[in-house]
């Protein structure tokens, strides 16, 4: 029996082929969108997925300001952050976040689904968010996908 055929192949930066993907976030539920985007960023949809390597695609999300939240989450959910100073605890709702930075809500959701390591910091840089339906990445020939195709 030839044991060469049973070797496990690990991806490294030289063997990984990174593509570009466009997702339209119009009327998509925020959590479902974020979990699918995190899956693509990690590379878990590819056969050569390696947990400690960046083998995912670059993801472009257009219409990121048009995501929806189900139920009363737009006003009842509260995000907490801390400035680092005494008495510096700040609270905000998704409605307030969308009013200030329309794409930040999607970025926060996707970042929460990535690992909290140096790899996670590297992966979130492969996410590009835009408010309208136009993006400046046409030269990369991105592939348009729908959420239910992932």
């Amino acid at each position: 029996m030839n044991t060469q055929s049973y070797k496990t192949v690990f991806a490294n930066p030289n063997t990984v082929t990174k593509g570009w993907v466009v997702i339209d976030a119009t009327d998509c539920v925020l959590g479902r969108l974020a979990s699918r985007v995190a899956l693509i960023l990690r590379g878990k949809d590819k056969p050569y997925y390696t947990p400690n390597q960046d083998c995912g695609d670059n993801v472009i999300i257009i219409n990121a300001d048009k995501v929806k939240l189900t139920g009363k989450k737009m006003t009842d959910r509260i995000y907490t952050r801390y400035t680092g100073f005494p008495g510096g605890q700040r609270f905000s709702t998704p409605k307030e976040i969308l009013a200030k930075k329309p794409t930040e809500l999607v970025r926060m959701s996707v970042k929460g689904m990535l690992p909290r390591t140096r790899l996670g910091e590297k992966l979130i840089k492969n996410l590009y968010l835009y408010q309208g339906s136009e993006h400046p990445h046409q030269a990369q020939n991105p592939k348009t996908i729908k959420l239910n195709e992932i």
Side-chain angles (χ1 to χ4, degrees):
M1 181 161 86
N2 185 3
T3 59
Q4 295 284 13
S5 64
Y6 294 104
K7 279 191 172 181
T8 302
V9 178
F10 291 104
N12 60 37
N14 299 329
T15 60
V16 170
T17 55
K18 294 178 70 70
W20 287 77
V21 174
V22 174
I23 296 175
D24 188 4
T26 305
D27 293 331
C28 289
V29 179
L30 179 63
R32 292 169 192 258
L33 172 73
S35 64
R36 302 252 174 33
V37 169
L39 185 123
I40 296 171
L41 286 172
R42 293 247 10 227
K44 286 192 165 189
D45 57 337
K46 295 187 177 181
Y48 53 81
Y49 167 71
T50 306
N52 63 340
Q53 293 294 325
D54 177 11
C55 47
D57 293 332
N58 295 301
V59 178
I60 303 163
I61 298 179
I62 56 175
N63 297 316
D65 55 334
K66 296 179 183 173
V67 295
K68 67 177 184 177
L69 290 142
T70 57
K72 297 181 186 177
K73 292 183 195 127
M74 192 66 84
T75 55
D76 290 357
R77 173 170 283 169
I78 296 176
Y79 290 104
T80 307
R81 62 186 178 86
Y82 182 60
T83 63
F85 291 97
Q89 195 172 23
R90 304 287 186 251
F91 304 99
S92 59
T93 62
K95 194 173 204 174
E96 295 167 357
I97 293 171
L98 281 174
K100 286 185 181 177
K101 294 182 182 177
T103 60
E104 190 63 24
L105 196 61
V106 177
R107 183 178 304 282
M108 289 169 41
S109 299
V110 172
K111 188 176 181 180
M113 296 181 186
L114 291 174
R116 279 105 175 134
T117 59
R118 287 179 290 181
L119 178 64
E121 292 171 10
K122 187 177 176 185
L123 292 174
I124 196 68
K125 292 178 184 174
N126 294 333
L127 178 66
Y128 300 90
L129 298 165
Y130 298 101
Q131 286 185 34
S133 59
E134 298 296 321
H135 61 87
H137 303 285
Q138 294 298 332
Q140 282 76 23
N141 297 324
K143 182 176 68 168
T144 304
I145 61 171
K146 304 232 187 278
L147 279 184
N148 54 6
E149 293 176 0
I150 303 168

